[in-house]
Amino acid sequence: MTPEQYVQQKAAASGSSFYYAFLFLPRERRAAITAFYAFCREVDDVVDEVNDPGVAAAKLDWWSGEVAKMFAGAPTHPATQALAPHIAAYGLQQRQLQAVIDGCRMDLTQTRYLDFADLARYCHLVAGVVGEVAARIFGQSQEATTDYAHKLGLAFQLTNIIRDVGEDALRGRVYLPVDELQRFDVKVSEITQRQHSDRFAALMRFQCERAQRTYDEALALLPAADRRAQKPGLMMASIYRTLLSEIAADGFQVLHQRTSLTPLRKLWLAWRVQALGRL
């Protein structure tokens, strides 16, 4: 299996909304973003699938070293081997990939966030920087597009947090800010024990409304000159906003289930943005 086949398989197997947006890109850009996405999946899988924090930390240290090797021209992993040829073409920087690793490393040491500002710093590393890299690969021409990409990355991560509350709680992680839990009188123990209540639903409605506002803020930051090039991000926004609407319509039953859209629906939403240019 070639590195290119490896990252393609990794991206397709994830079933992620990102994969459907990539399908509409020109071949070279699609190859670059697929390789970058596979790298992000590899690193994220370390903290999600390795139960021993010490082993997970060692694996992340290995990935840090692997990133350094890649930028030195000697990658050894299929994901970095597939990504390496695209470094120069899209201006990828070592600090960006290290930031993604640093964000995942936070999951090994921090399972609670005091307030939204605290959570936003985590989101910047695991999603904002990812958006920054993706925007360059998609074809960024305006400097202001970086601000849009960071804000859109935040919106995506907030959506992931809402969708995955139950799964994250099983791993001992509660990303919902502590001060907001207190405001809605929801205890961490209720979340870890999967106790749904009207108070929890109100808390999640607050989270959902903030995420939707964040999408609006991101779209307002996108320069008109880059709107066409950044269509993949707009496709993902359409898919993720639809997912949020589904979660809300279902009464925020995120403690016991993981709401998702069918592959056909994701593809249709992506195609609609591609063909009609609207979310």
Side-chain angles (χ1 to χ4, degrees):
M1 181 185 296
T2 67
E4 290 71 26
Q5 290 171 332
Y6 177 89
V7 297
Q8 176 66 27
Q9 187 178 87
K10 186 78 175 179
S14 72
S16 168
S17 303
F18 292 73
Y19 175 74
Y20 295 90
F22 301 164
L23 295 175
F24 295 89
L25 284 167
R27 186 176 64 85
E28 281 300 311
R29 295 187 189 278
R30 185 169 68 248
I33 194 64
T34 299
F36 176 62
Y37 178 76
F39 163 80
C40 293
R41 288 284 353 136
E42 292 284 354
V43 175
D44 192 57
D45 285 348
V46 170
V47 295
D48 283 346
E49 298 178 1
V50 179
N51 294 325
D52 186 321
V55 173
K59 284 181 174 289
L60 291 179
D61 287 342
W62 184 91
W63 275 106
S64 291
E66 178 65 10
V67 166
K69 288 180 183 177
M70 180 179 68
F71 279 88
T76 62
H77 191 279
T80 46
Q81 288 172 341
L83 183 58
H86 304 289
I87 290 175
Y90 301 109
L92 307 187
Q93 300 174 32
Q94 186 170 338
R95 59 125 185 126
Q96 294 167 324
L97 274 66
Q98 291 291 357
V100 175
I101 296 171
D102 290 342
C104 290
R105 199 185 305 276
M106 287 180 66
D107 280 327
L108 301 179
T109 59
Q110 185 168 354
T111 59
R112 303 287 187 275
Y113 294 86
L114 293 178
D115 53 29
F116 184 69
D118 194 21
L119 178 63
R121 284 188 286 271
Y122 165 78
C123 293
H124 168 74
L125 294 175
V126 298
V129 176
V130 173
E132 176 185 321
V133 173
R136 286 193 170 277
I137 294 174
F138 294 156
Q140 176 179 350
S141 67
Q142 306 295 309
E143 190 63 33
T145 298
T146 299
D147 294 331
Y148 147 82
H150 279 284
K151 183 69 74 170
L152 188 62
L154 173 61
F156 288 149
Q157 190 62 24
L158 294 179
T159 304
N160 286 338
I161 288 170
I162 292 166
R163 179 195 63 196
D164 297 339
V165 169
E167 289 185 6
D168 289 333
L170 290 177
R171 297 186 177 106
R173 303 180 202 142
V174 178
Y175 293 98
L176 305 175
V178 171
D179 65 340
E180 294 172 6
L181 290 170
Q182 294 172 341
R183 187 188 318 172
F184 288 89
D185 192 28
V186 175
K187 295 179 174 59
V188 169
S189 61
E190 294 177 64
I191 295 176
T192 57
Q193 294 170 19
R194 298 186 164 193
Q195 297 175 3
H196 190 276
S197 65
D198 290 343
R199 291 173 288 105
F200 176 78
L203 168 65
M204 298 312 297
R205 187 172 299 106
F206 173 81
Q207 304 296 321
C208 189
E209 289 171 352
R210 176 168 56 203
Q212 293 284 19
R213 286 197 307 273
T214 305
Y215 283 110
D216 290 336
E217 292 165 2
L219 297 178
L221 291 171
L222 177 59
D226 271 356
R227 184 174 178 87
R228 183 179 181 85
Q230 299 300 319
K231 271 189 176 181
L234 300 179
M235 293 175 190
M236 291 183 283
S238 178
I239 293 170
Y240 266 58
R241 297 192 86 166
T242 301
L243 176 63
L244 277 178
S245 296
E246 291 287 324
I247 290 172
D250 200 31
F252 302 101
Q253 299 293 328
V254 291
L255 291 175
H256 302 89
Q257 63 188 36
R258 188 179 195 267
T259 302
S260 61
L261 306 180
T262 65
L264 183 60
R265 192 172 184 190
K266 291 178 183 178
L267 185 60
W268 180 80
L269 289 167
W271 176 85
R272 187 176 66 175
V273 173
Q274 175 68 17
L276 305 179
R278 66 171 185 263
L279 275 66

